[in-house]
Amino acid sequence: MFNLANKITMFRVLLVPFVVVLLYFPNKTTCLLAFFLFSLASFSDLIDGFIARREGMVTSFGKFLDPLADKLLICSVLIMLVELGWAPAWVVITIICRELIVTGLRAMAADEGIVIAADKYGKMKTVLQMLALSPMIIHYPLFGYDVAVIGEILLYIALVLTVFSGGNYLFGFYKNWLQQDEQQ
């Protein structure tokens, strides 16, 4: 349970409150620090998965904790961006609702012995959300460029992919449910 990959994932969870506190007091310095910690946490998502697969450290705890860590990181930052007036609430609500629905579907499926693994769209969604949030966290002009605009554009693209991947999970759940119903 406490292998290297899972420790890296737990480290990602531990970074979340620091990112939130830094964003709670927004200025150029705290936003850059929040960006640095958010980037470190995002990068750790790639590292823990790579290590877990390469070293054969894939565990049930890791399968549970890794997506939870992603959701905690992304949703916390999204909520802070709404609080600061830097992200539209309806976009954040849509993204968080999708996360709750997919988490609920996975729980229902697991109860029936069905594993709904992350698909390529879900993984792409997470990466795109992280890429969108990075310049939005920086917020202030960087080297004369308004990087937040880039983040906003990426956030809307991530929103489309988020809704699409959520629909894909719903379809997969429905398909598995029908197959299981036919077998009974």
Side-chain angles (χ1 to χ4, degrees), residues 1-14 44-45 47-53 55-67 69:
M1 185 164 113
F2 292 107
N3 62 38
L4 179 60
N6 290 344
K7 286 178 182 176
I8 293 170
T9 304
M10 287 185 276
F11 173 71
R12 183 161 70 253
V13 172
L14 292 174
S44 78
D45 187 28
I47 299 297
D48 64 12
F50 175 76
I51 290 172
R53 285 185 294 279
E55 302 296 325
M57 295 180 180
V58 177
T59 64
S60 295
F61 180 68
K63 287 180 189 177
F64 163 76
L65 188 62
D66 186 65

Side-chain angles (χ1 to χ4, degrees), residues 14-50:
L14 292 174
L15 286 177
V16 172
F18 293 100
V19 173
V20 168
V21 168
L22 287 166
L23 287 174
Y24 196 73
F25 301 99
N27 62 53
K28 286 184 180 183
T29 303
T30 58
C31 287
L32 282 174
L33 287 171
F35 163 75
F36 173 74
L37 292 180
F38 179 81
S39 298
L40 182 62
S42 298
F43 186 66
S44 78
D45 187 28
L46 296 171
I47 299 297
D48 64 12
F50 175 76

Side-chain angles (χ1 to χ4, degrees), residues 119-181:
D119 65 6
K120 65 181 177 183
Y121 301 113
K123 291 177 183 179
M124 287 172 29
K125 175 253 340 161
T126 300
V127 169
L128 192 53
Q129 287 174 347
M130 288 174 174
L131 288 174
L133 292 177
S134 294
M136 292 181 78
I137 290 169
I138 294 172
H139 182 70
Y140 296 95
L142 191 64
F143 304 113
Y145 295 101
D146 187 2
V147 294
V149 172
I150 296 165
E152 291 172 29
I153 292 167
L154 289 173
L155 184 63
Y156 284 109
I157 296 168
L159 174 67
V160 172
L161 188 55
T162 298
V163 171
F164 175 79
S165 71
N168 196 44
Y169 279 109
L170 281 169
F171 178 73
F173 177 78
Y174 178 71
K175 192 170 81 173
N176 281 325
W177 178 68
L178 282 179
Q179 286 175 351
Q180 193 144 15
D181 206 35

